[in-house]
Amino acid sequence: ISVVVVAITYVWSASIVNVLARRKEFAVLLAIGWRPSQLNRMLFIEGVLIGLFATSISWFILGIISVTSQDAVTPVRFLLTGVFALTVYVIGALLPMNIVRKISPYEAMREGEITVNGKRILRANSIYAIAANHFLTKWKRSFLSVLAIALPSTLLAVFLYITVRMQGVMFTSLLGEYVAFEVGTFHYVAIAIALLIALLTTAEINWQNISERQQEIGILQAIGWRRNSIRKLILAEGFYTGVAAMIFVVIVAIGAVFFLYGELTLFGVTLILLSSLVPILTGLIGTLIPAERASRLTPMNGIRGVQKTNVNKEKILRRGMVVAMAVFITAFGTVMVQAIMKIADTEDSKIAVDY
């Protein structure tokens, strides 16, 4: 469930980032006479096309599971899986459609911002205060990153408690029924995949934030800020994301453990607090590449809104992305193999019981 929820969050955040990256394109289209309804129709069609592609992939995976486990997938389950995948991308297209309505053609082409917003919540008298202002003023994007990190991290904390404290088996009663749940390698691999998706979500959102703030970063460097200070500014935003996710993890994980067992020991609290360090590390790692990109921006290019990249560094970045995708695909394949093996074992057990 965590992997599915985080994947949905990633799809929605990617849709939003896609619109923000194309804001000047949309501003030009609006300036030459396009109506917001036409842009919305275009975004909706894009979401449907991507959703159909995701649907075909989900049906392909279901077919593999059905053939491998010798368990025929019912037509209803087959259809609902595809409809769910399509619905996720269609809903993901609705969020950008709302953003397009707020685009001001003049401001988007001149400054790169959708609307002029000069609000500041904290007094900007330090690097960390400036980072906090950016984190809070862009709260919708920050919320996506926090949610993507917090969900798998919370499950990780609860699963670690069950593994260490309860020898890997959860015994509890729910609605008057006795429940036993075994936590195995399969669940930790699923959480690892969810955390990887959360890391990509954080990196993508921060990458877009930096693209919108090139002029601000260029001005800061022009008035004397060093590259290390720019790097600290971006990393601080990732740190705040991790801290917000950590608070969520501590509250929800402690509440879940107390709800399941009706007690909370010092050992359990300590284990959850140690697990809550994972969101902070995820938030920081997710901002490493965006922070490096921001620190390499020259004052002139930043003020002009032009980002020049070194060819060698671009190759290294691309290789890093390829490695990350390879790790993701390997982990996803591992989860699928584990799921198929579990289904096959379950079917074998049913057959043995029947005989």
Side-chain angles (χ1 to χ4, degrees):
I1 296 176
S2 176
V3 176
V4 173
V5 174
V6 175
I8 292 174
T9 304
Y10 177 75
V11 169
W12 291 351
S13 64
S15 300
I16 294 174
V17 170
N18 177 48
V19 170
L20 295 174
R22 299 164 59 189
R23 61 196 178 280
K24 289 188 178 181
E25 172 192 342
F26 294 146
V28 172
L29 292 175
L30 289 171
I32 64 176
W34 277 48
R35 297 179 181 179
S37 59
Q38 291 176 295
L39 293 179
N40 290 340
R41 192 179 304 114
M42 180 179 67
L43 291 173
F44 182 79
I45 293 174
E46 290 178 1
V48 170
L49 292 176
I50 299 175
L52 290 175
F53 179 73
T55 299
S56 62
I57 293 178
S58 65
W59 283 344
F60 176 74
I61 294 175
L62 271 180
I64 294 177
I65 294 177
S66 178
V67 172
T68 307
S69 64
Q70 297 179 352
D71 181 22
V73 179
T74 62
V76 174
R77 179 184 175 188
F78 196 81
L79 179 62
L80 289 179
T81 303
V83 171
F84 174 77
L86 180 61
T87 303
V88 169
Y89 279 91
V90 170
I91 295 177
L94 297 179
L95 300 176
M97 288 166 60
N98 184 47
I99 296 176
V100 167
R101 298 175 184 174
K102 302 178 182 179
I103 293 180
S104 171
Y106 173 71
E107 292 296 336
M109 288 187 291
R110 185 174 66 89
E111 300 290 345
E113 294 287 348
I114 291 179
T115 56
V116 179
N117 187 358
K119 294 181 180 179
R120 291 294 181 267
I121 298 176
L122 301 176
R123 185 176 179 182
N125 54 4
S126 67
I127 292 177
Y128 302 104
I130 295 174
N133 276 323
H134 283 296
F135 177 77
L136 295 174
T137 54
K138 302 289 185 181
W139 65 271
K140 294 180 181 179
R141 305 184 199 181
S142 302
F143 174 76
L144 289 174
S145 296
V146 171
L147 183 64
I149 296 174
L151 289 177
S153 299
T154 302
L155 283 180
L156 176 64
V158 175
F159 285 170
L160 284 176
Y161 180 87
I162 295 173
T163 300
V164 176
R165 181 71 176 176
M166 312 301 295
Q167 285 77 46
V169 181
M170 180 187 73
F171 298 99
T172 186
S173 59
L174 189 63
L175 299 178
E177 296 291 335
Y178 180 75
V179 178
F181 176 76
E182 183 178 0
V183 177
T185 306
F186 170 78
H187 300 92
Y188 287 108
V189 173
I191 290 176
I193 293 177
L195 286 174
L196 179 59
I197 299 175
L199 192 148
L200 294 176
T201 303
T202 304
E204 189 168 9
I205 291 176
N206 279 279
W207 194 282
Q208 179 59 36
N209 288 340
I210 291 172
S211 298
E212 294 179 356
R213 294 160 54 190
Q214 290 187 35
Q215 292 184 347
E216 173 191 341
I217 295 172
I219 292 173
L220 290 176
Q221 290 189 339
I223 63 176
W225 277 48
R226 297 181 178 180
R227 290 183 175 180
N228 191 39
S229 299
I230 300 295
R231 192 179 292 109
K232 285 182 180 179
L233 176 66
I234 307 303
L235 289 175
E237 295 178 22
F239 176 76
Y240 290 140
T241 301
V243 169
M246 180 193 72
I247 295 173
F248 179 93
V249 170
V250 171
I251 295 176
V252 176
I254 289 178
V257 171
F258 185 79
F259 173 77
L260 291 173
Y261 300 105
E263 62 178 4
L264 197 63
T265 62
L266 179 61
F267 172 80
V269 175
T270 304
L271 186 61
I272 292 174
L273 290 177
L274 290 175
S275 303
S276 65
L277 297 177
V278 173
I280 296 180
L281 293 176
T282 304
L284 289 174
I285 294 174
T287 53
L288 284 178
I289 295 179
E292 187 62 26
R293 180 196 180 194
S295 66
R296 298 296 177 181
L297 187 67
T298 62
M300 183 179 67
N301 290 334
I303 295 174
R304 291 172 57 193
V306 178
Q307 174 68 36
K308 291 185 178 180
T309 57
N310 185 282
V311 177
N312 293 329
K313 291 178 181 177
E314 188 72 20
K315 289 182 179 179
I316 294 175
L317 179 60
R318 289 178 180 177
R319 291 172 183 173
M321 294 292 291
V322 171
V323 171
M325 289 303 299
V327 171
F328 172 75
I329 293 172
T330 303
F332 181 78
T334 303
V335 170
M336 293 305 302
V337 170
Q338 292 281 345
I340 292 171
M341 292 176 63
K342 277 201 167 189
I343 294 173
D345 292 341
T346 302
E347 291 300 318
D348 292 341
S349 300
K350 290 181 179 179
I351 294 174
V353 170
D354 292 338
Y355 280 108

